Every structure is written in C-alpha cells, then in structure tokens.
Amino acid sequence: MKNVITTLLFISFIFISQYQGYGQNDIKLGYFYELTKKTKALELTEVTGLSTLSGRTDISILEFVADQPEVKTKGIRIELPQNALFKIIKKDSSGQLFVIKIFDDTDFENRLFGLTEFQVINYSRVYDGDKPKWSFVSTAVTIPIKIRPGDGKDGDDKKRYFDFEGNVNIGLTAGIRRRISTSGTSYLSLFGGISVGSSKLTTDNSLVTSETNVSTLTPFIGLMFEYNDFEIGLFTGWDYASGKIGQSWDYNALPWLGVGLGYNIFTTKNKNLKG
C-alpha cells in the first residue's frame, strides 16, 4: 500500500515539474501574456494572413494560421494598461512586430494591436492562466477497472489470488487541483472520496456456497489528470463488504489499484482564457 501511494505522489511531481514555466525570451504564438507596465502599442487597421472560423469575419474569432501576415497602421499609438491580458495572434514577416488581441477589457474589444519584440520581452510575462493555480475541486468519479493483488504466496500457502474486476460504481470526491498549463486547460488533482458499489463473491474467494453479489462501501484516494474537461485518473482504495458473508471475502478491506473517469462538479477558480 505504501508503494502505491509513493507511486501516485511521484507521478504528481513529474506532471507538475514538466509544465513549469517557459523562457521569457522565447515568445510563443498563441499564448497568453500579461503586461507588467503601461505600454504604448500601435493600433492596427488591417492585418492580412488571418483566417476566421465558419466564414465569420468578426475580429473576436480571428485565429492563428501558418502563413505570415502583413500589417497596416495609421501610426496611432494607444496606451495599454498594466496587467492587461493579451494573446499573441501573429507576427509580421520581419519577426519584429507581434499582433496581439486584448482580453477581458471592453475598451479594447474587437481591436488588434502591435507590440515590438522588445516590448513583449521586457514589458510582459507569460500569463499563468486560471487564478489561483491551486484550487478546491469536487468531482464525480466512476472506477470501472480494479486490480486486486494476490498474497504473494505459493502452493498450498496461497490463500488470495490476483484478481481483475470490471464494475460500475459512482463516487464523490473532494481535494485540491493544480493548473499545469499556461492556457488553463490542463489540470492535475489529488483528492479523496467515497463510493458505493457491489462486488462478486464466489466459492473461490469467500465462504459462500454459490456465486452472489454484496454491497460495498469504498473509501479511496486518487490522482486525476484533466484536459479540456476530460478527466482520467489512477486510484487506490479499500472495499468494505456488507454483512456476515462479506466478512469472509478474501479481498475485504484490502487495497486495490484502479483506473477511473471523472466529471467536474465544482471548483474554485476565477477565469479561464481558452480563446
């Protein structure tokens, strides 16, 4: 059991470490940035080489495409406020001017601006997505696959065999969630929960004289990875079978390892810039 928990914590550390930060001098197209000071930017009147979705032409859904745009401007410079959030849409063919779109500010809605490479590197930083990075989360979970280890003994001394179980159950969890991507779409959650289900008792794994199902109450802990609302995780827990017959079950109150799917019910977060 101690080895299982150690494995979960190790995987959590690997995921969190892998997604930490990016070099500030490596300007990334499609990423969100935050201005660290008031900055004057060129307002752009025309940008070619940008496409729209579904034939729409409103600037709010302009998306990044592979070819380099050429930009035109009347030379109007607009002061953008400190902490303004923006997404780098494109860069011009010289690589010195970056086309940006401001988010969460109605004064700059449906407008594009240009920042120089110097301004992006020195007056902004990669935005860390949802705030806070750590949040409370509650998730509905089903664990359809459970693996039950044997007792490690051989021959006549062996009392409990390796077992694989597929079952439907629903559990509720609560725990902490960390955002692990700069766009706020990928998360890693560590939590505990409880579920109610059933398990099959046979003449081989209990004292029953014929195959039967018993209800189980299952506390568990898990590590869940979430990407764009899809959640999958690794879990370990203990099934407590009900009744006198359940007490004779070889796997009663013993740990198992499982794979589960989740659905986010509640989380504390501010905003998610998926633009």
Side-chain angles (χ1 to χ4, degrees):
M1 185 60 203
K2 185 181 296 184
N3 291 337
V4 172
I5 296 176
T6 301
T7 301
L8 288 176
L9 293 176
F10 176 74
I11 294 173
S12 176
F13 172 78
I14 293 297
F15 270 112
I16 293 173
S17 299
Q18 181 178 355
Y19 286 89
Q20 292 302 302
Y22 299 87
Q24 183 61 44
N25 291 338
D26 184 16
I27 300 175
K28 295 181 177 292
L29 296 175
Y31 274 65
F32 291 100
Y33 284 74
E34 180 179 19
L35 287 176
T36 56
K37 61 180 297 184
K38 292 181 180 180
T39 304
K40 288 189 176 181
L42 285 172
E43 182 165 10
L44 306 178
T45 58
E46 183 179 345
V47 180
T48 60
L50 291 172
S51 68
T52 61
L53 299 177
S54 305
R56 297 178 62 183
T57 58
D58 53 304
I59 219 168
S60 63
I61 60 169
L62 289 175
E63 292 292 320
F64 170 72
V65 291
D67 60 313
Q68 299 294 336
E70 295 299 333
V71 299
K72 294 181 181 179
T73 176
K74 293 182 179 179
I76 302 174
R77 300 181 69 85
I78 304 295
E79 185 174 79
L80 303 179
Q82 183 177 353
N83 299 322
L85 302 179
F86 65 89
K87 183 178 182 180
I88 297 182
I89 304 295
K90 295 279 289 190
K91 64 179 178 181
D92 73 349
S93 55
S94 70
Q96 299 300 309
L97 183 68
F98 289 83
V99 181
I100 70 169
K101 181 179 183 297
I102 303 295
F103 282 79
D104 291 342
D105 194 324
T106 56
D107 291 338
F108 302 106
E109 187 177 4
N110 296 335
R111 296 159 72 181
L112 291 180
F113 298 91
L115 290 178
T116 65
E117 182 181 33
F118 178 86
Q119 288 176 310
V120 175
I121 291 175
N122 293 281
Y123 302 154
S124 72
R125 61 190 173 199
V126 174
Y127 178 60
D128 9 357
D130 290 354
K131 294 182 178 179
K133 288 183 178 180
W134 290 97
S135 58
F136 172 82
V137 64
S138 179
T139 300
V141 170
T142 180
I143 307 173
I145 300 174
K146 290 181 181 178
I147 299 172
R148 304 183 190 278
D151 56 17
K153 298 179 181 179
D154 297 318
D156 294 338
D157 293 331
K158 194 172 187 65
K159 303 298 183 183
R160 189 175 69 254
Y161 293 85
F162 173 87
D163 186 54
F164 176 87
E165 179 182 13
N167 206 342
V168 177
N169 52 76
I170 298 294
L172 293 178
T173 71
I176 56 174
R177 182 175 81 158
R178 179 176 174 83
R179 183 189 45 72
I180 56 175
S181 70
T182 57
S183 61
T185 58
S186 299
Y187 303 88
L188 198 66
S189 301
L190 183 64
F191 46 68
I194 193 167
S195 68
V196 175
S198 65
S199 291
K200 183 182 296 184
L201 271 61
T202 68
T203 55
D204 293 328
N205 64 22
S206 68
L207 298 180
V208 298
T209 56
S210 62
E211 186 175 293
T212 186
N213 289 328
V214 295
S215 298
T216 56
L217 183 66
T218 305
F220 59 87
I221 58 175
L223 184 69
M224 181 81 78
F225 174 73
E226 175 186 346
Y227 178 74
N228 280 347
D229 298 326
F230 172 75
E231 298 181 59
I232 186 169
L234 187 65
F235 300 85
T236 185
W238 306 261
D239 287 334
Y240 291 89
S242 63
K244 185 176 180 180
I245 293 178
Q247 300 305 306
S248 69
W249 184 34
D250 290 345
Y251 305 98
N252 187 54
L254 293 177
W256 47 260
L257 186 67
V259 176
L261 303 174
Y263 178 78
N264 193 357
I265 298 175
F266 173 80
T267 183
T268 56
K269 64 180 182 180
N270 290 348
K271 51 195 173 185
N272 186 12
L273 302 180
K274 294 183 179 180

